[in-house]
């Protein structure tokens, strides 16, 4: 296994004052040194041992607190709540060093998406797109891992939200005429990107594809224009929903009053997920709900992984989507207060469309956002890149 | 998550008669049907429920038996040993269908190794070799995963046995003059390859590199020539050790009687691991020691993951190696009964050599072996491939 590192190496790596083996901790922390004071306990002037312990509000997983012999005996000197809450807030709001890593991860992942746009073509299998993406991230960016299982859905597979998992491992062929939905992000130094690109496999948007794509893009722009510190993230989700409903009316798929559609919670039929989430060490990063807060039960908001007000240096994803999912559509059609807005003839033409999602990773700045995602988003730009055009924004300097 | 599959789909996938949800099992197995008999229990004519439960002799992990409500009540009707032992033997000896999958995995992995030989060069980082290998396995072979963490050691890193792990993630640069040790295998349909290639980064073996490489290759050949059903695998390990010691004498690194070196267990100084292991669903597959058997305590044999006699259709790795590991050499030099065989001047020139391992995956046939590994092994062949030559043996038919 190579040379074994001692405590000093880990102290240097993590930039902390002191590192001890677990079996040394009782002596180091609980016993008074010669002439010195005990670190904690009756004579220790209220000093405490902070232990990381708590529940991740996104995954539901519990961090079980560290322990060592004798720790239970010092009772009140052990503090097991403050550290977890503090760490969550530290993770939700990024430091300049963290932002530098995330800029790099997003740049490498953007470049990999752009290279993939140039290489993918009908006749390939979805997994070959995954392989091209991962190879680019690793070979040129040093990203050994991706932050989550790659989602490479072609055609109707684009409407399967967590497609790509072991039971549906991106194993379908890509056909001419398919819309592609590629949700992939590299990981470096523990921080991951989470970027989704949607585009036509053959490089040229059909009218239908352009219609749905531009509805989603309008939703991204509406949200990103409105984002700044102090803005409520649930309000942004509702703004995204409203923009999508307006687009679907214009496309002839829905008819009637968008206000009434909002009251009927119709948008979650087409976007059955939240607008976005905090991003960092976890893809769905911690801190989306503060202690005591919980999710709204309203369809749409119930899927939102963050219920907070935006703060400067939070990194969040903006990822609205429009999908045509049979069971969701059938359910809405069977619900009179939703069905009355659906133009069944307009919808019929899109039943096997699949779906579109656009996902940016953005930093909240003092007066707006910085977009870390550097891929082409306009229809014309995507078509130009897929035809072989340069895309300087995501081009890394590198030695081949 | 896409459509949910029901029991019938899994019955078809696994080719079994019937699949039930766990909560249906008490009614299906423990209760007499109308006019029928109970499957198990007092009236059931000795029929039993077989539960998979036992310890993996290689990893030490325990398979915890499946359970359902009421199972504990049927007592003697539950059999929890036979199935585990039966499955282990079924896994140790492959069927023709399993061999077909393993031939494919080894062919794809061999081709990926060959392509890497052509592309690697001084100035790259070790991880770029890993990326090239994995991309080839996935893009052309559909291998989403590798069977184990890729080991890509350059120079002295080749002497670190499990190099490549998260603490040493193939992150060193490859230099001109380095010997490379690449131990990587793709995985398909759960079955993995486990192939090691060693070659000079610059494409041309130095005299020293040729010397050590050919010692290891001679050891591979001696073992593969002797393998057939009925042969003891520990005997093959000792044959590999003996061949290596003979080579090290010829190279001037050791002096004296090889028989006496064998008595002094000297070979494990240079090859501190076993000759090979069963290969299949696990890289270190189950069944290496039968119930009641355990490993020898002799250095070398103590590291051997299989203590059995070869049977037809077992798949095993043949992977001798010679490494120059400071702490192992210093220990031998400090042990008079080993030090007396070491020519310190001869050894000095190899201290920073690193190491060589050659690893084949072979099937035991009725009268010998079939080698599933299709990479160049002779020095001349490797140099020719690295100079751009064709290597037809591992060339897949494919559409690019
Ligand atoms: Mn996301
Ligand atoms: Mn092996």
């Amino acid at each position: 296994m190579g040379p074994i590192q001692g405590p000093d190496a880990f102290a240097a790596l993590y930039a902390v004052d002191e590192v001890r083996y677990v079996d040394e901790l009782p002596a180091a922390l609980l016993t008074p040194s010669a002439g010195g004071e005990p670190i904690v306990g009756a004579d220790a002037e209220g000093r405490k041992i902070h232990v990381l312990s708590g529940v991740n509000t996104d995954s539901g997983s519990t961090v079980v607190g560290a322990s060592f012999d004798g720790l239970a005996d010092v009772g009140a000197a052990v503090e097991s709540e403050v550290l977890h809450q503090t760490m969550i807030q530290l993770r939700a709001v990024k430091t300049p060093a963290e932002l530098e890593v995330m800029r790099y991860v997003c740049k490498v992942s953007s470049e990999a998406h752009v290279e993939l746009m140039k290489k993918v073509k009908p006749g390939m299998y979805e997994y070959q797109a995954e392989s091209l993406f991962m190879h680019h991230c690793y070979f040129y960016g040093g990203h050994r891992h991706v932050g989550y299982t790659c989602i490479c859905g072609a055609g109707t597979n684009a409407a399967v939200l967590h497609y790509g998992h072991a039971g549906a491992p991106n194993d379908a062929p890509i056909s001419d005429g398919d819309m592609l939905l590629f949700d992939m992000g590299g990981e470096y130094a523990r921080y991951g990107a989470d970027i989704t690109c949607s585009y036509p496999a053959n490089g040229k948007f059909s009218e239908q594809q352009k219609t749905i794509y531009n509805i989603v893009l309008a939703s991204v722009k509406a949200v990103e224009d409105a984002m700044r510190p102090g803005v409520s993230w649930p309000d942004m989700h509702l703004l995204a929903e409203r923009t999508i409903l307006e687009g679907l009316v214009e496309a002839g798929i829905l008819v009637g009053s968008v206000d009434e559609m909002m009251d009927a919670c119709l948008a979650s039929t087409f976007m059955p997920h939240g607008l976005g989430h905090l991003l960092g060490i976890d893809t769905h990063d911690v801190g989306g709900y503060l202690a005591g807060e919980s999710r709204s039960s309203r369809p749409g908001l119930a899927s939102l992984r963050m219920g907070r007000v935006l703060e400067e240096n939070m990194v969040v994803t903006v990822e609205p989507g429009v999908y045509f999912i049979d069971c969701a559509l059938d359910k809405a059609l069977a619900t009179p207060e939703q069905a009355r807005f659906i133009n069944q003839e307009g919808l019929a033409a899109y039943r096997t469309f699949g779906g579109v999602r656009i996902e940016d990773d953005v930093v909240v700045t003092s007066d707006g956002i910085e977009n870390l995602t550097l891929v082409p988003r306009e229809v014309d730009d995507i078509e130009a890149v897929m035809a072989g055009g340069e895309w300087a924004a995501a081009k890394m300097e590198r030695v081949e």
Side-chain angles (χ1 to χ4, degrees), chain A:
Chain A
M1 304 289 285
I4 307 293
Q5 304 295 330
D8 289 349
F10 290 99
L13 181 63
Y14 291 95
V16 294
D17 296 332
E18 206 172 334
V19 168
R20 299 279 196 156
Y21 292 108
V22 172
D23 63 358
E24 298 172 352
L25 288 176
L29 292 176
L30 305 180
T31 313
S33 57
E37 292 175 9
I39 301 296
V40 298
D43 303 322
E45 297 174 5
R47 282 177 290 181
K48 295 197 170 195
I49 296 176
H50 286 263
V51 169
L52 190 66
S53 164
V55 175
N56 180 317
T57 60
D58 198 89
S59 67
S61 300
T62 300
V63 177
V64 177
S67 190
F68 56 84
D69 281 350
L71 186 68
D73 304 334
V74 296
V78 177
E79 166 54 60
S80 59
E81 289 188 15
V82 167
L83 186 55
H84 193 251
Q85 286 304 317
T86 305
M87 290 294 289
I88 285 173
Q89 183 61 9
L90 286 172
R91 285 179 58 180
V93 177
K94 268 64 178 176
T95 64
E98 287 179 293
L99 291 176
E100 202 175 318
V101 174
M102 294 193 74
R103 271 187 205 100
Y104 178 66
V105 174
C106 290
K107 179 152 191 172
V108 170
S109 300
S110 294
E111 193 190 60
H113 272 291
V114 171
E115 290 299 310
L116 178 54
M117 271 181 209
K118 296 182 178 185
K119 287 177 181 153
V120 74
K121 54 189 176 198
M124 280 186 180
Y125 279 78
E126 296 163 336
Y127 68 80
Q128 293 182 302
E130 176 181 345
S131 189
L132 285 165
F133 179 86
M134 292 199 301
H135 179 50
H136 196 92
C137 287
Y138 199 11
F139 192 86
Y140 294 110
H143 295 27
R144 192 179 212 184
H145 302 289
V146 284
Y148 53 96
T149 304
C150 293
I151 298 170
C152 296
T156 53
N157 292 335
V160 178
L161 287 196
H162 292 278
Y163 190 72
H165 59 82
N170 301 325
D171 56 354
I174 295 171
S175 300
D176 198 357
D178 278 350
M179 192 71 183
L180 306 173
L181 187 156
F182 289 165
D183 183 348
M184 300 190 277
E187 182 183 300
Y188 189 81
R190 312 296 174 221
Y191 290 80
D194 183 7
I195 296 173
T196 307
C197 296
S198 295
Y199 49 90
N202 63 16
K204 190 81 190 153
F205 284 80
S206 70
E207 283 309 309
Q208 272 200 343
Q209 289 168 343
K210 203 179 294 184
T211 297
I212 301 303
Y213 185 86
N214 280 332
I215 292 172
V216 179
L217 185 59
S219 177
V220 171
K221 288 178 178 176
V223 168
E224 292 180 354
D225 285 349
M227 287 176 71
R228 57 180 51 80
V231 166
S232 145
W233 192 239
D235 285 351
M236 292 296 96
H237 177 92
L238 295 173
L239 173 60
E241 285 197 351
R242 181 175 290 275
T243 313
I244 285 168
L245 292 172
E246 287 166 356
L248 291 172
V249 169
E250 201 171 332
I253 295 168
L254 299 180
V255 284
S257 153
V258 168
D259 283 338
E260 290 173 22
M261 292 177 199
M262 289 296 292
D263 291 341
C265 302
L266 183 61
S268 66
T269 300
F270 299 93
M271 181 172 92
H273 61 68
L275 172 63
H277 49 84
L278 289 163
L279 178 68
I281 294 174
D282 284 341
T283 303
H284 300 147
D285 214 9
V286 296
Y289 288 84
L290 294 173
E293 291 181 348
S294 61
R295 295 193 188 189
S296 159
S297 61
R298 182 188 184 281
L301 291 180
S303 305
L304 192 60
R305 293 175 185 275
M306 178 163 91
R308 293 172 62 176
V309 164
L310 295 176
E311 297 177 31
E312 189 173 352
N313 295 328
M314 280 180 169
V315 176
V316 298
T317 68
V318 178
E319 51 173 312
V322 169
Y323 317 87
F324 295 87
I325 304 168
D326 277 330
C327 66
L329 294 169
D330 292 340
K331 195 172 152 207
L333 288 168
T335 306
E337 54 270 35
Q338 296 184 323
R340 68 192 176 99
F341 300 112
I342 299 175
N343 172 14
Q344 295 214 37
E345 279 162 43
L347 174 64
Y350 288 91
R351 270 278 181 163
T352 59
F353 177 91
V356 165
R357 177 166 63 253
I358 299 174
E359 182 174 23
D360 279 347
D361 302 338
V362 307
V363 190
V364 180
T365 61
S366 61
D367 62 350
I369 60 156
E370 172 190 350
N371 197 338
L372 304 181
T373 314
L374 305 172
V375 299
R377 290 304 196 192
E378 300 292 336
V379 163
D380 290 350
D381 290 334
I382 292 171
E383 290 183 346
V385 167
M386 293 186 78
E390 275 299 300
W391 187 253
K395 195 82 190 160
M396 288 188 291
E397 287 173 43
R398 63 174 184 247
V399 183
E400 304 249 355

